Amino acid sequence: MERIYYNETAFSIFRTNYRNTEIQKLEELCPPELKEYCFFDKTKFWRYFYNRLLQEKNYKEMERTLAGTLYRYDPVLYHIYGLYNKEIGNIQTAQKFLFLSGIYTPDTKGLSDAFYNRLKNGHANEFWGLVPEPFLSKRDRHKFPAPLIKKLSELPVPKWLFTPKKASSGIRP
């Protein structure tokens, strides 16, 4: 179990080897008054934590810790990071992460469309230089939301980029 403290609140992240169905049963054991603070998935915790920081406009704490949580692709965390950059005035980074999140809302459509148009009018080589390394990882392609896959299919990028990684047979060649 890992505890993270923020503003005198302790968050507990339970690390388990259980399958998802068993984790759901464990979540039910968390007392109702503490349910908001118990997490069995670190990604769900970071989503909650950064949404909370964004609502509180605690940009100093976000700046200190958020970029380190983007080591794997997660659409919600990319969206939160884009919103954070929008709030602090870092528009180019906001455009990139809002587009790559695949979560397109009316208030962020203009920003994500600007990045899409930049890629659409550019070269495929430019794409590789603009997107972060975790986005290109094979292990997270199954997490790409359908709207993002649709947009990527319209760009001059290889189709394998938005094709989910095939399940391994467990047998090495």
Side-chain angles (χ1 to χ4, degrees):
M1 180 175 76
E2 179 180 349
R3 287 208 184 266
I4 297 177
Y5 296 91
Y6 171 70
N7 282 355
E8 300 177 11
T9 302
F11 297 93
S12 298
I13 302 172
F14 299 91
R15 295 173 187 248
T16 66
N17 291 331
Y18 297 111
R19 294 188 180 134
N20 286 337
T21 55
E22 293 166 339
I23 288 174
Q24 290 170 351
K25 290 176 186 174
L26 288 171
E27 286 176 334
E28 293 172 7
L29 297 175
C30 189
E33 65 275 5
L34 297 177
K35 203 166 213 64
E36 182 179 4
Y37 307 108
C38 294
F39 296 89
F40 292 88
D41 178 335
K42 200 163 191 169
T43 302
K44 288 180 183 177
F45 165 74
W46 289 122
R47 288 173 178 178
Y48 169 83
F49 184 65
Y50 290 119
N51 266 322
R52 182 173 167 172
L53 291 177
L54 195 60
Q55 290 170 355
E56 294 174 0
K57 298 189 184 303
N58 188 344
Y59 304 134
K60 186 176 181 180
E61 182 68 14
M62 288 185 83
E63 180 181 332
R64 189 178 73 78
T65 60
L66 183 57
T69 62
L70 300 175
Y71 63 94
R72 295 213 40 196
Y73 176 76
D74 180 70
V76 176
L77 287 176
Y78 269 46
H79 187 74
I80 292 169
Y81 192 60
L83 293 174
Y84 158 71
N85 279 285
K86 177 184 164 197
E87 290 294 319
I88 65 168
N90 192 349
I91 301 303
Q92 287 188 334
T93 304
Q95 290 173 342
K96 173 176 26 179
F97 281 90
L98 290 171
F99 171 76
L100 294 175
S101 75
I103 302 170
Y104 308 127
T105 61
D107 60 323
T108 62
K109 186 175 179 353
L111 292 169
S112 59
D113 284 351
F115 189 76
Y116 169 76
N117 289 332
R118 180 176 174 190
L119 293 174
K120 188 173 161 185
N121 297 327
H123 300 287
N125 292 341
E126 186 177 4
F127 180 80
W128 304 115
L130 290 174
V131 299
E133 184 67 32
F135 180 80
L136 300 173
S137 172
K138 292 178 185 178
R139 68 180 175 208
D140 293 328
R141 289 188 198 144
H142 67 281
K143 296 180 183 177
F144 288 3
L148 176 60
I149 292 172
K150 182 180 183 304
K151 293 274 190 180
L152 288 174
S153 70
E154 299 167 0
L155 294 174
V157 297
K159 303 300 178 217
W160 60 259
L161 176 66
F162 50 89
T163 305
K165 181 180 171 184
K166 292 181 182 176
S168 172
S169 64
I171 302 170
R172 291 185 173 215

